[in-house]
């Protein structure tokens, strides 16, 4: 059991005997009132969406979810196909709620995945990952304003907003939760 | 925070100060550290200690400057405003929350909440006019903020967006039942105030018009605040749990929403010392029942109101949220430097 106020995105909860993945979580404090947690949940069995508003002080049951390592093979309309690196068993992880993570994943690479009973339900990415910039426009000469930004494309095809001094071929550290640039990586 | 945002923020601060000083408000700076706080049940505090020759004094970071400003009001300083950091613990860091945030609080003397509403309306107009061309301003957001304010009573808004008439449901069970009929999920033990909060959070707030500023006005007396009872009727302001036979009463309070964000909270301030004492007792009791940390309360605070204390109206505005509402940014950490969620994650 955990307090609703401690629920995090990506956590798994048992509600009404169904396993749910928390896909969105927001906190609301109506003026001078009690604090609430607004949740968007994905039913791990049916894929259906549930919205729930809980008092921060309420308690909720967590679903018993465990991690394992899996190699990301490819993605298609059914989801992300991964393979257990020990048993070679393959799983398909439904995409809903994981679209942003999907844009950071490299085929062939190994990630932590989350399992509930026999199903793979989530991918755990490191908080920050290094990516190569594959496309970037040159900074305009004379534009020395500090803090100005531009969009570049990283190796996975995702666009990231970066300071204008970043060039194609350079490596950058990106926060995978917010999809924001953190810093340039010099190797 | 990007350069444009930092510059817009600096310009916003400048314009806020200009607006309030042009309207004869004196800017003051009061302490962030306090040995006692006004008890507010739903706020958790930040505690620290002051060490003095071997002993220590507990201190708290202020959740708002109200404690100090209300002591200055009888001092003849006239209308007051302060822009400063405020601190609320155990508030989850989210898109519109940071435990440390910037608040603008004003007190207008010999005025009520309606006059403060006019002031807030004028302020939005002045800010939009002055900042429309500033880099970082979002044209659509500025346009929205400069529309005439849509004002609706809390009772009408709840009725319109959920079908529940607050005045018809005075007991906990009755309001719970009505909320369930309206399609909301409620807890079995939810009291009247909690169900009211759910109606606001799940039915009203998501459906408010989003193309202009919205003011919800005339809150039920059962929501405990330091706002005066409507029309100066005594007895409602201290909240508590009025008997089931009492009529639906309201207090002189409004909240302004802009772009889905709760931006300003404003009262005709309670100045009856007996009501203030009741409020203190009620909030301290509630604080304990909610398991919040205890803190000292200012012992002489209610007594200030026993002397000649001017009628006044006070408003508190979240400046970081105002930044979001004028720049169209969706997350608070885009409009402040070093948000706590960012610095903690880098630890």
């Amino acid at each position: 059991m955990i307090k609703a106020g401690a629920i995090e995105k990506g956590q798994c909860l048992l509600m009404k005997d169904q396993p749910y993945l928390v896909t969105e979580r927001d906190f609301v404090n109506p003026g001078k009132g009690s604090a609430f947690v607004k949740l968007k949940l994905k039913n791990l069995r049916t894929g259906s969406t549930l919205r729930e508003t809980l008092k921060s002080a309420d308690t909720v049951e967590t679903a018993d979810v465990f991690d394992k390592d899996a190699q990301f093979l490819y993605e298609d309309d059914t989801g992300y196909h991964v393979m257990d690196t020990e048993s070679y068993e393959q799983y398909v992880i439904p995409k809903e709620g994981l679209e942003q993570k999907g844009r950071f994943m490299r085929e062939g690479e190994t990630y932590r995945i989350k399992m509930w009973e026999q199903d793979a339900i989530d991918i755990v990415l490191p908080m920050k990952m290094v990516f190569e910039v594959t496309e970037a426009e040159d900074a305009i000469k004379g534009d020395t304003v500090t803090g100005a930004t531009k969009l570049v494309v990283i190796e996975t095809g995702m666009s990231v907003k970066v300071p204008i001094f970043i060039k194609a071929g350079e490596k950058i550290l990106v926060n995978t939760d917010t999809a924001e640039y953190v810093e340039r990586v010099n190797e | 925070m990007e350069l444009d945002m930092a510059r817009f923020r600096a310009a916003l601060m400048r314009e806020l100060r200009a607006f309030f000083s042009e309207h004869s408000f004196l800017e003051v700076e009061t302490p962030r550290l306090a040995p006692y706080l006004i008890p507010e049940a739903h706020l958790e505090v930040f505690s620290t200690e002051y060490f003095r020759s071997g002993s220590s004094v507990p201190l708290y970071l202020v959740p708002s400057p109200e404690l100090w400003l209300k002591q200055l009001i009888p001092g003849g300083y006239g209308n007051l405003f302060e822009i400063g950091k405020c601190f609320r613990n155990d508030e989850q860091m989210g898109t519109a929350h940071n435990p440390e945030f910037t608040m603008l609080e004003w007190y207008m003397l010999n005025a009520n909440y309606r006059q403060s509403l006019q002031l807030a309306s004028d302020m939005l107009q002045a800010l939009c006019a002055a900042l429309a061309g500033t880099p970082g301003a979002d044209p659509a957001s500025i346009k929205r903020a400069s529309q005439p304010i849509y004002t609706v009573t809390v009772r009408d808004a709840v009725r319109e967006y959920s079908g529940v008439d607050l005045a018809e449901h005075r007991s906990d069970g009755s309001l719970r039942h009505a909320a369930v009929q309206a399609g909301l999920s409620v807890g079995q033990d939810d009291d009247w105030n909690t169900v009211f909060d759910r109606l606001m959070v799940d039915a009203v707030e998501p459906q408010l018009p989003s193309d202009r500023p919205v003011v919800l006005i005339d809150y039920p007396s059962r929501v405990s605040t330091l706002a005066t009872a409507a029309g100066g009727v005594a007895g409602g302001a201290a909240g508590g749990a009025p008997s089931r036979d009492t009529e639906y009463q309201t207090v002189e309070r409004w909240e302004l929403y802009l772009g889905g964000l709760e931006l300003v909270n404003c009262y005709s301030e309670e100045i009856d010392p007996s009501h203030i004492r009741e409020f203190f007792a009620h909030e301290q009791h509630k604080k304990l029942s909610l398991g919040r940390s205890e803190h000292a309360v200012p012992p002489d605070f209610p007594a200030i109101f026993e002397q000649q204390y001017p009628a006044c109206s006070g408003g508190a505005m979240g400046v970081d949220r105002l930044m979001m509402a004028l720049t169209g940014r969706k997350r608070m950490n885009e409009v402040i430097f070093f948000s706590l969620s960012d610095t903690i994650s880098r630890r």
Side-chain angles (χ1 to χ4, degrees):
Chain A
M1 299 285 267
I2 56 163
K3 283 251 167 93
I7 293 172
E8 302 273 1
K9 207 163 108 177
Q11 225 163 12
C12 298
L13 307 174
L14 265 186
M15 300 178 90
K16 298 159 192 160
D17 296 329
Q18 292 282 314
Y20 284 96
L21 175 73
V22 179
T23 54
E24 278 175 33
R25 176 215 59 181
D26 210 3
F27 297 101
V28 278
N29 285 64
K32 311 291 172 194
S34 15
F36 291 93
V37 184
K38 286 188 115 169
L39 300 175
K40 190 175 166 192
L41 302 146
K42 182 173 88 165
N43 187 314
L44 295 170
R45 282 199 172 130
T46 65
S48 65
T49 299
L50 175 73
R51 286 179 189 279
E52 192 74 42
T53 304
L54 302 171
K55 277 186 283 181
S56 290
D58 287 346
T59 50
V60 207
E61 210 167 325
T62 51
D64 193 15
V65 167
F66 57 98
D67 287 6
K68 62 163 72 168
D69 284 332
Q71 190 183 31
F72 173 46
L73 303 174
Y74 62 93
E75 96 175 71
D76 63 16
D77 291 345
T78 60
Y80 304 107
H81 293 252
V82 299
M83 180 177 68
D84 185 327
T85 50
E86 282 186 5
S87 68
Y88 303 111
E89 197 165 338
Q90 290 194 20
Y91 304 99
V92 184
I93 306 177
K95 287 183 184 177
E96 201 194 353
L98 304 179
E99 292 85 353
Q100 178 163 306
K101 289 182 185 177
R103 287 196 282 270
F104 284 118
M105 296 195 306
R106 286 180 276 240
E107 288 181 7
E109 203 147 299
T110 299
Y111 299 98
R112 295 296 282 174
I113 61 166
K114 285 195 178 293
M115 300 288 298
W116 186 74
E117 295 185 340
Q118 298 307 311
D119 298 324
I121 52 172
D122 193 13
I123 309 148
V124 189
L125 294 184
M127 187 70 173
K128 291 163 192 170
M129 291 171 71
V130 176
F131 296 97
E132 188 179 326
V133 176
T134 51
E135 288 172 42
E137 284 176 26
D138 289 337
I140 301 154
K141 247 196 172 151
D143 187 357
T144 52
V145 181
T146 49
T149 59
K150 63 179 180 184
L151 276 178
V152 298
V153 180
I154 59 171
E155 57 193 290
T156 59
M158 174 105 177
S159 294
V160 180
K161 204 187 266 188
V162 301
I164 50 171
F165 58 76
I166 298 292
K167 299 185 196 72
E170 287 185 321
K171 291 193 169 158
I172 57 170
L173 193 62
V174 177
N175 180 320
T176 54
D177 187 38
T178 61
E180 281 170 359
Y181 164 89
V182 181
E183 62 192 14
R184 179 162 59 182
V185 181
N186 296 311
E187 289 182 347
Chain B
M1 186 162 44
E2 295 162 15
L3 179 66
D4 271 0
M5 284 301 107
R7 285 183 171 160
F8 187 89
R9 194 173 170 110
L12 174 63
M13 291 303 182
R14 212 160 46 230
E15 294 302 329
L16 281 170
R17 291 195 156 92
F19 174 83
F20 278 92
S21 60
E22 279 162 20
H23 286 74
S24 307
F25 281 74
L26 177 68
E27 180 169 7
V28 293
E29 268 189 288
T30 61
R32 299 301 95 183
L33 287 170
Y36 36 64
L37 298 173
I38 294 173
E40 288 187 80
H42 290 292
L43 296 187
E44 184 55 282
V45 299
F46 277 97
S47 308
T48 184
E49 282 171 284
Y50 170 58
F51 297 107
R52 184 175 54 187
S53 45
S55 65
S56 77
V57 181
L59 292 176
Y60 310 96
L61 288 168
V62 293
S64 90
E66 178 180 10
L67 163 73
W68 307 120
L69 296 180
K70 283 189 170 169
Q71 295 182 65
L72 292 180
I73 284 170
Y77 300 97
N79 299 329
L80 296 172
F81 81 102
E82 174 159 13
I83 300 177
K85 293 286 189 185
C86 292
F87 303 85
R88 295 182 183 183
N89 212 337
D90 198 27
E91 257 188 31
Q92 303 294 338
M93 292 178 274
T95 50
H97 285 105
N98 193 51
E100 170 177 350
F101 61 102
T102 303
M103 185 188 269
L104 187 154
E105 190 152 312
W106 76 79
Y107 286 91
M108 195 197 280
L109 271 54
N110 306 311
N112 63 24
Y113 72 145
R114 293 270 173 191
Q115 282 142 318
S116 268
L117 181 52
Q118 186 58 51
L119 181 81
S121 168
D122 293 346
M123 177 194 70
L124 280 179
Q125 294 299 330
L127 292 176
C128 289
L131 296 167
T134 306
D138 172 50
S141 302
I142 294 278
K143 187 173 173 223
R144 175 177 61 198
S146 56
Q147 300 301 309
I149 294 174
Y150 169 65
T151 303
V152 59
T153 66
V154 169
R155 183 180 170 187
D156 285 347
V158 171
R159 198 159 36 193
E160 181 175 348
Y161 300 121
S162 73
V164 175
D165 185 351
L166 293 170
E168 284 180 10
H169 303 283
R170 294 179 205 147
S171 71
D172 297 347
S174 170
L175 191 62
R176 271 202 303 267
H177 183 70
V180 170
Q181 298 285 91
L184 271 69
S185 60
V186 301
Q188 286 180 350
D189 306 324
D190 284 357
D191 60 11
W192 196 95
N193 282 45
T194 305
V195 182
F196 169 71
D197 289 340
R198 285 187 189 275
L199 286 163
M200 296 295 278
V201 165
D202 282 339
V204 176
E205 290 181 2
Q207 296 188 76
L208 290 175
S210 57
D211 58 345
R212 62 208 129 137
V214 176
V215 160
L216 294 181
I217 196 163
D218 296 332
Y219 276 68
S221 307
R222 299 175 83 151
V223 180
S224 172
T225 62
L226 283 172
T228 54
V233 180
S243 78
R244 282 174 198 181
D245 303 328
T246 51
E247 284 174 35
Y248 178 74
Q249 291 181 337
T250 59
V251 293
E252 296 192 349
R253 171 186 175 195
W254 54 261
E255 287 221 13
L256 186 145
Y257 289 80
L258 186 54
L261 293 165
E262 190 184 325
L263 207 62
V264 187
N265 182 31
C266 175
Y267 306 153
S268 298
E269 296 293 341
E270 180 61 77
I271 57 170
D272 179 327
S274 66
H275 291 163
I276 291 168
R277 286 195 177 91
E278 280 170 32
F279 173 84
F280 270 46
H282 176 263
E283 294 295 298
Q284 279 174 283
H285 178 75
K286 185 99 199 260
K287 218 164 190 165
L288 281 180
S289 72
L290 290 173
R292 300 243 177 248
S293 33
E294 287 182 74
H295 57 76
V297 301
D300 305 326
F301 189 84
I304 307 165
F305 299 87
E306 279 163 7
Q307 309 302 318
Q308 278 292 323
Y309 198 97
C312 59
S313 168
M317 175 169 73
V319 174
D320 310 309
R321 289 184 176 184
L322 177 62
M323 268 295 291
M324 293 167 69
L326 297 178
T327 60
R329 298 299 167 123
K330 297 280 172 255
R331 298 212 318 265
M332 189 172 276
N333 64 3
E334 295 181 67
V335 301
I336 60 178
F337 281 121
F338 309 114
S339 75
L340 193 60
S341 62
D342 286 351
T343 53
I344 285 180
S345 76
R346 279 171 206 210
R347 191 176 51 171

